[in-house]
Amino acid sequence: MIYADGSALRLTVMDVSHPFLGPDDASVGPESIAWRAFLREHERDLAVSEIGLTALRRAADPVGAAARESVRQLAVRLTVLRVPDRALDTATLAQAALRPLDAIELGIAVAHPDVSTVATYDRSMARVARLHGLEVSTPGRADRWWE
């Protein structure tokens, strides 16, 4: 299972004026294009949290009604993981390197036994996820770009 954090989910609607499943357009950045292709391919394997979905909803809000509706439909299809108590243990340790909500997202990924990979575009999250034994996926970026 792949846990997608808020930095990845935001790319679902960034730089676009159409729903995330609409055609790619030349004004969209390469990371957004790569992320949306990855999302379509791996949707069944993706897990998110309410924290990540909130970041996605906030990114969709200024884009318009079509983007907000696409996000609403996507949120129904994705696996949403709850915050287990043991996630807070990891989050407490990770707060030295991550923002508080990012630390909680990492804790969720680490605590879930089926999560093996974190999809992120945040350098600190990628580094700390690797320290916790998770693989990192960042469509559109070079391997190990965070080092």
Side-chain angles (χ1 to χ4, degrees):
M1 185 176 287
I2 303 164
Y3 180 84
D5 77 353
S7 71
L9 290 172
R10 282 190 297 268
L11 289 177
T12 305
V13 296
M14 287 180 69
D15 300 325
V16 298
S17 59
H18 51 77
F20 94 96
L21 289 176
D24 291 329
D25 105 5
S27 67
V28 178
E31 287 180 353
S32 293
I33 292 169
W35 167 253
R36 287 198 307 275
F38 180 87
L39 175 62
R40 284 189 296 270
E41 182 179 342
H42 297 283
E43 185 176 304
R44 289 181 178 219
D45 299 322
L46 283 178
V48 298
S49 68
E50 285 297 336
I51 296 167
L53 288 176
T54 298
L56 176 55
R57 289 180 186 112
R58 288 187 64 179
D61 192 45
V63 177
R68 289 190 296 272
E69 179 59 19
S70 288
V71 166
R72 188 191 67 71
Q73 291 176 18
L74 178 63
V76 171
R77 294 191 310 267
L78 295 176
T79 300
V80 180
L81 301 179
R82 294 198 164 293
V83 182
D85 289 341
R86 64 184 179 275
L88 300 178
D89 294 335
T90 300
T92 299
L93 296 172
Q95 283 190 78
L98 299 174
R99 295 175 300 245
L101 291 178
D102 293 341
I104 294 170
E105 283 199 281
L106 175 71
I108 294 167
V110 169
H112 197 285
D114 294 332
V115 172
S116 61
T117 303
V118 172
T120 185
Y121 288 81
D122 181 275
R123 183 179 306 276
S124 296
M125 175 67 89
R127 288 176 175 169
V128 177
R130 288 297 300 140
L131 290 174
H132 283 273
L134 296 169
E135 294 298 317
V136 174
S137 179
T138 312
R141 289 195 182 170
D143 288 341
R144 306 183 72 82
W145 59 271
W146 60 86
E147 292 181 338

